[in-house]
Amino acid sequence: MSRVMEIVSSRKFQTRLISGIALVILAILVIGRGGLPLFLTMMAVSLIGLFELYRVVRMERELLGLIGYLGGLSYYLLLWNNIGRYGMPVMIGVLMALMAVFVITYPRYRTEQIAVGLMGILYTVVMFSYVYRVREMHDGKYLVWMIFISSWGCDTCAYVVGMLFGRHHFAPVLSPKKTVEGSIGGVIGAGLLGLIYGLLLGDQMEELLHAGFACFFACAIGALISQIGDLAASAIKRDHEVKDYGTLIPGHGGVLDRFDSLLFTAPAISFALYLYRLFGGL
């Protein structure tokens, strides 16, 4: 008990708690509103995340980084104008530009930087954009919250189950405290939270048939994928011996530190709903 009180009274915990509350309030306001405010927020978050990733490989202020930022901005402009289907040509154009700089300035840049230049756009810009994409779907004002239910619900349930029943390590090198039992608990817990959410608000969703099952399915899939996102961000930091991606969010680190699992959950929820519709559920 004394240990718990010590943690709660620490300045680090209080800073983290205040930042977390502020983020929740901001999310409710922006995501609840949708439209242009959410679009601009996700574009800003995506580009900040891209900057943080580029900084890890020391290209955030290089010409390669500038190409990446322009590519990410172009992707969002196409998305806003409902011509997101041209996202792949943008990626190809970015790769061509990166390779052009690579060969013209050789040996200034490393192959790794070229790869990260393109991967960064996919990893931050494209994957973050799915928060906005899901919000813009029919019934999106309800469906979008499954991204957070899945991601944060999985984190909480995995932690509790892992503490109580964890015996077998899941990824001991990257995260020694994660266990197989906790991972399974996170998926099941997030799925059950999705089920409750679907049962409570299913009548408000005009096109979602069997909302309880649909939300259970989507949140469970999202939770499973979110754990890969968490570990992927840790692996990148470990590879480059970086503690945090940034200091933008007090007590949490950078954008990629706080939303690493969300990056994977957002597209996973979108794809899960697409599969559900494909098989006649929507």
Side-chain angles (χ1 to χ4, degrees):
M1 186 63 180
S2 60
R3 175 57 178 165
V4 174
M5 293 301 298
E6 180 182 343
I7 294 174
V8 171
S9 62
S10 68
R11 179 174 296 181
K12 181 178 180 180
F13 176 84
Q14 293 174 355
T15 300
R16 187 178 179 87
L17 178 62
I18 293 172
S19 295
I21 293 173
L23 287 173
V24 170
I25 294 173
L26 180 63
I28 292 173
L29 293 175
V30 175
I31 296 175
R33 181 71 180 274
L36 184 60
L38 177 60
F39 175 84
L40 293 176
T41 299
M42 296 317 302
M43 181 172 67
V45 169
S46 297
L47 293 176
I48 292 171
L50 185 61
F51 174 82
E52 290 177 351
L53 183 64
Y54 283 173
R55 183 166 53 191
V56 169
V57 293
R58 299 183 178 86
M59 56 180 280
E60 77 278 11
R61 301 184 189 280
E62 297 285 344
L63 180 57
L64 296 180
L66 177 60
I67 293 172
Y69 304 140
L70 291 175
L73 184 61
S74 298
Y75 174 86
Y76 265 97
L77 292 177
L78 291 173
L79 182 61
W80 177 249
N81 288 283
N82 294 318
I83 47 178
R85 62 184 180 278
Y86 293 113
M88 182 56 70
V90 169
M91 299 299 110
I92 294 174
V94 168
L95 179 59
M96 289 178 175
L98 291 172
M99 292 302 296
V101 172
F102 179 55
V103 298
I104 291 173
T105 63
Y106 189 85
R108 179 184 176 92
Y109 300 110
R110 302 188 305 276
T111 307
E112 176 197 35
Q113 291 174 300
I114 306 302
V116 174
L118 181 62
M119 186 202 81
I121 300 177
L122 293 170
Y123 182 55
T124 62
V125 175
V126 176
M127 296 178 82
F128 262 135
S129 75
Y130 274 89
V131 175
Y132 172 76
R133 285 175 175 268
V134 173
R135 178 61 177 82
E136 291 300 300
M137 294 172 62
H138 196 87
D139 293 329
K141 63 181 178 180
Y142 302 109
L143 300 177
V144 70
W145 295 109
M146 288 198 293
I147 296 173
F148 300 90
I149 292 172
S150 179
S151 178
W152 295 346
C154 178
D155 286 346
T156 302
C157 293
Y159 175 78
V160 173
V161 174
M163 288 289 291
L164 294 175
F165 307 106
R167 295 293 184 274
H168 304 87
H169 294 293
F170 180 47
V173 176
L174 290 175
S175 186
K177 294 183 179 180
K178 288 188 183 297
T179 63
V180 174
E181 293 82 0
S183 176
I184 295 172
V187 172
I188 295 175
L192 292 176
L193 289 173
L195 173 64
I196 295 171
Y197 181 76
L199 292 176
L200 290 175
L201 297 178
D203 291 340
Q204 307 297 319
M205 303 179 195
E206 297 176 356
E207 293 191 3
L208 192 64
L209 300 178
H210 311 295
F213 175 76
C215 293
F216 173 85
F217 173 73
C219 285
I221 294 296
L224 180 64
I225 302 301
S226 74
Q227 298 181 59
I228 303 301
D230 184 20
L231 292 171
S234 297
I236 294 172
K237 288 191 290 187
R238 186 175 291 272
D239 270 356
H240 296 275
E241 299 180 349
V242 173
K243 184 178 184 297
D244 292 314
Y245 283 103
T247 58
L248 180 65
I249 307 173
H252 294 272
V255 164
L256 296 183
D257 294 299
R258 185 63 188 88
F259 302 115
D260 48 6
S261 61
L262 194 75
L263 273 171
F264 280 63
T265 309
I269 292 292
S270 177
F271 299 157
L273 291 171
Y274 171 78
L275 289 174
Y276 191 72
R277 179 177 59 186
L278 187 66
F279 289 99
L282 272 177

